[in-house]
Amino acid sequence: MLELGCGTGIISTFAAKKGAKVFASDVNKLALENAQLNAKKNSVEIETIESNLFKEIPIQVFDYIVINP
């Protein structure tokens, strides 16, 4: 799963708790640090990527791409 604009990572953390392999992206480096902290507090792993939408996302197939503007 890829979450664009993850912010605090609440959706990414929820998906990881349900067993998803998660990539969380945001343009804000501090948001990504917060998302990692929240994932750690919830005992899950997410991979974070600093990116403006799809700009820095490696080409790959995702089952789901979500965004909560």
Side-chain angles (χ1 to χ4, degrees), residues 11-65:
I11 294 171
S12 292
T13 298
F14 177 80
K17 286 187 101 162
K18 296 295 182 181
K21 180 178 179 182
V22 177
F23 295 85
S25 72
D26 203 292
V27 70
N28 185 321
K29 192 173 195 166
L30 291 175
L32 295 174
E33 291 173 11
N34 193 303
Q36 279 290 350
L37 178 62
N38 287 328
K40 185 176 181 179
K41 285 182 178 182
N42 283 276
S43 303
V44 295
E45 288 188 29
I46 62 173
E47 184 173 333
T48 54
I49 304 167
E50 187 174 350
S51 181
N52 186 359
L53 296 176
F54 292 101
K55 189 172 183 180
E56 301 298 325
I57 305 297
I59 295 175
Q60 58 189 298
V61 175
F62 295 100
D63 290 327
Y64 297 97
I65 298 175

Side-chain angles (χ1 to χ4, degrees), residues 1-6 11-12 15 23 25 64-69:
M1 183 193 106
L2 169 65
E3 181 181 10
L4 297 172
C6 69
I11 294 171
S12 292
F23 295 85
S25 72
Y64 297 97
I65 298 175
V66 297
I67 186 168
N68 183 16

